[in-house]
């Protein structure tokens, strides 16, 4: 199974392509879709949307995992990330890729086994599981790989046990 994991953002939108065959998982590609502060919000959203569409076309994922919005104190940042999530979800919908939305807690629980794990623990576990020897930079890409992995495991779980909500 192949998944595209997305860590939404407008400045840096992390992506990770993850393959799973049997019990083996591998990172196919990862990185960020980057925009710049001097761009208009519309230009930034267009770059994110176009980038996600290109990733879907190039890698043909069977599922797409997108992290849900985590609200912090900066409402302006939260709104921008919500807008980015919107164009990311639209890209997946238009390309007919099944979508799995996951919370940061679900990702940490799936990858580390502890929902309150620290970011460093998630990155270390992703690197170990996927036999990546060089530090994943930036962290947004590592987060996206973890989201893609979570999407695969949750999709497999639902196929076996049905959807539980």
């Amino acid at each position: 199974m192949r998944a595209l994991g997305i860590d939404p953002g407008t400045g840096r939108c992390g992506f990770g392509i993850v393959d799973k065959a049997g019990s083996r998982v591998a990172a196919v590609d990862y990185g960020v879709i980057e925009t710049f502060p001097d761009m208009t919000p519309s230009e930034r959203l267009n770059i994110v949307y176009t980038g996600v569409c290109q990733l879907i076309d190039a890698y043909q994922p069977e599922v797409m995992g997108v992290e849900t919005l985590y609200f912090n104190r900066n409402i302006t940042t939260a709104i921008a990330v919500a807008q980015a999530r919107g164009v990311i979800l639209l890209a997946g919908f238009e390309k007919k890729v099944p979508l799995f939305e996951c919370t940061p807690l679900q990702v940490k629980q799936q990858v580390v086994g502890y929902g309150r794990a620290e970011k460093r623990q998630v990155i270390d576990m992703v690197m170990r599981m996927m036999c990546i020897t060089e530090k994943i930079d930036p962290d947004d890409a590592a987060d996206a790989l973890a989201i893609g992995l979570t999407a695969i495991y949750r999709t497999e779980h639902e196929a076996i046990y049905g959807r539980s909500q």
Side-chain angles (χ1 to χ4, degrees):
M1 176 176 284
R2 176 168 284 179
L4 166 59
I6 300 285
D7 182 22
T10 52
R12 282 194 315 221
C13 178
F15 71 87
I17 309 295
V18 180
D19 276 354
K20 181 174 182 291
S23 62
R24 299 193 66 166
V25 292
V28 176
D29 193 10
Y30 55 89
V32 292
I33 301 166
E34 195 163 9
T35 66
F36 303 97
D38 63 340
M39 296 176 162
T40 67
S42 296
E43 288 172 319
R44 294 176 103 175
L45 291 173
N46 184 56
I47 288 171
V48 170
Y49 172 80
T50 302
V52 172
C53 286
Q54 289 171 346
L55 288 167
I56 293 169
D57 289 342
Y59 292 103
Q60 299 293 306
E62 296 166 66
V63 65
M64 186 166 114
V66 180
E67 193 170 66
T68 58
L69 187 58
Y70 172 75
F71 283 100
N72 56 18
R73 293 182 185 176
N74 188 340
I75 192 69
T76 304
T77 301
I79 290 170
V81 173
Q83 290 173 331
R85 278 191 85 249
V87 300
I88 292 163
L89 298 176
L90 176 62
F93 176 79
E94 286 185 339
K95 298 288 185 175
K96 297 178 177 32
V97 180
L99 178 71
F100 176 77
E101 296 181 79
C102 51
T103 67
L105 188 126
Q106 288 173 314
V107 174
K108 292 173 182 180
Q109 180 68 40
Q110 185 68 59
V111 175
V112 180
Y114 176 58
R116 303 281 184 224
E118 294 181 19
K119 183 178 283 288
R120 181 79 242 149
Q121 292 173 292
V122 175
I123 294 169
D124 287 345
M125 189 58 76
V126 165
M127 290 176 65
R128 286 180 187 179
M129 293 172 77
M130 298 186 194
C131 299
I132 299 170
T133 56
E134 292 184 29
K135 183 185 180 309
I136 302 169
D137 188 47
D139 290 352
D140 307 271
D143 291 344
L145 287 170
I147 293 162
L149 192 58
T150 301
I152 287 174
Y153 285 134
R154 296 301 290 259
T155 300
E156 288 179 340
H157 182 338
E158 287 179 4
I160 296 168
Y161 300 106
R163 186 174 205 119
S164 59
Q165 294 284 335

